[in-house]
Amino acid sequence: MSAALSRIWFGLATLAVLALVPSHAQAATVCRTSSGTVSLTGADGSECTATSTGGPALASALGNGSSATSTSDASGKSISNARSGGSAESDASADGIARSNANTGSSANATAAGTATLAIARATGNSGAGADSSDGVAKAIAHADSGANASSSAVGCGSFATATHDSGATSQCTGGFGTAKSVANRNSGATSSAEADCVATAKATNNSGATAICTTDGGFVHATATHGGGATGSDTATPICNPNGGTAKVRSSSGNCG
């Protein structure tokens, strides 16, 4: 990365950090570097560390117990933001971009390793989010005592997981140009996996569970469950729907139910 591009990226990243802090609030502890390691401890007890061997690394922390760590290699770009006791870690290498945001006792970890890779992890309200991309895009969002994990490892692959209100969501994409998406809300669980150029989506809400797995090019699976229902779908097997007093639905290239 050229020096000019590094300055531009640093400027945009710094503006993003400053936008998170009201003008009347205490300033965040900010570490940034494109060479070596910078570690600081703020007057409020927050800590940040930025380490780089050439690419820009920016870490910002605000509030006692907050910790932000960013690591970039010669061509990676990393940014981490921690607030109100949160812990945020970003690690970027080989042209990857990693960004993590953690707030209110939460933890967020983002790792991007590879050309055109992007990993984004955001967690709030005592939650945990992890995004890991060795190829493609991975995005995990967790809120209100929840956990979300997303991973992608194939060209053009996209993995997205969102969990809110005591829920868990997991997605993984290992097939080129595949898409996996999981959404869980209110004490629910959702799991999706795309192992080919296919689409798998799982959505669960209100004490429900949904699983969607696709393994063949051109295949698709959409599983949805609400209010205690359970839905399981695959693009190679007969779907299973158990409403259990709620709803359960699967639409897939291997069949439908519900």
Side-chain angles (χ1 to χ4, degrees):
M1 173 180 290
S2 70
L5 287 177
S6 292
R7 286 193 295 271
I8 292 172
W9 191 91
F10 264 142
L12 292 175
T14 301
L15 287 174
V17 170
L18 293 176
L20 297 173
V21 184
S23 59
H24 64 275
Q26 178 180 347
T29 306
V30 178
C31 299
R32 60 179 181 177
T33 184
S34 58
S35 178
T37 297
V38 176
S39 294
L40 297 172
T41 299
D44 60 355
S46 59
E47 299 178 346
C48 67
T49 299
T51 302
S52 173
T53 57
L58 173 63
S60 169
L62 178 64
N64 186 37
S66 298
S67 175
T69 302
S70 292
T71 304
S72 299
D73 73 354
S75 57
K77 307 173 190 68
S78 63
I79 180 171
S80 59
N81 294 296
R83 298 291 185 270
S84 303
S87 175
E89 295 186 19
S90 296
D91 192 328
S93 60
D95 287 322
I97 299 175
R99 177 162 186 168
S100 61
N101 291 273
N103 200 341
T104 320
S106 299
S107 63
N109 295 273
T111 301
T115 302
T117 60
L118 174 63
I120 299 173
R122 297 174 181 167
T124 62
N126 298 304
S127 298
D132 189 340
S133 175
S134 59
D135 218 330
V137 177
K139 183 176 182 179
I141 299 174
H143 175 66
D145 298 299
S146 298
N149 288 281
S151 64
S152 63
S153 60
V155 175
C157 199
S159 179
F160 309 92
T162 301
T164 59
H165 298 97
D166 301 293
S167 298
T170 301
S171 64
Q172 66 172 357
C173 185
T174 59
F177 300 100
T179 300
K181 182 177 181 179
S182 297
V183 178
N185 185 33
R186 299 191 181 281
N187 197 37
S188 298
T191 301
S192 63
S193 178
E195 301 172 22
D197 183 3
C198 56
V199 178
T201 63
K203 297 180 180 180
T205 186
N206 291 313
N207 303 296
S208 300
T211 300
I213 300 173
C214 65
T215 60
T216 59
D217 287 346
F220 66 90
V221 183
H222 305 294
T224 305
T226 67
H227 298 91
T232 301
S234 165
D235 61 351
T236 59
T238 302
I240 300 173
C241 292
N242 294 313
N244 298 321
T247 67
K249 181 172 69 175
V250 175
R251 296 293 181 263
S252 74
S253 50
S254 185
N256 306 323
C257 67

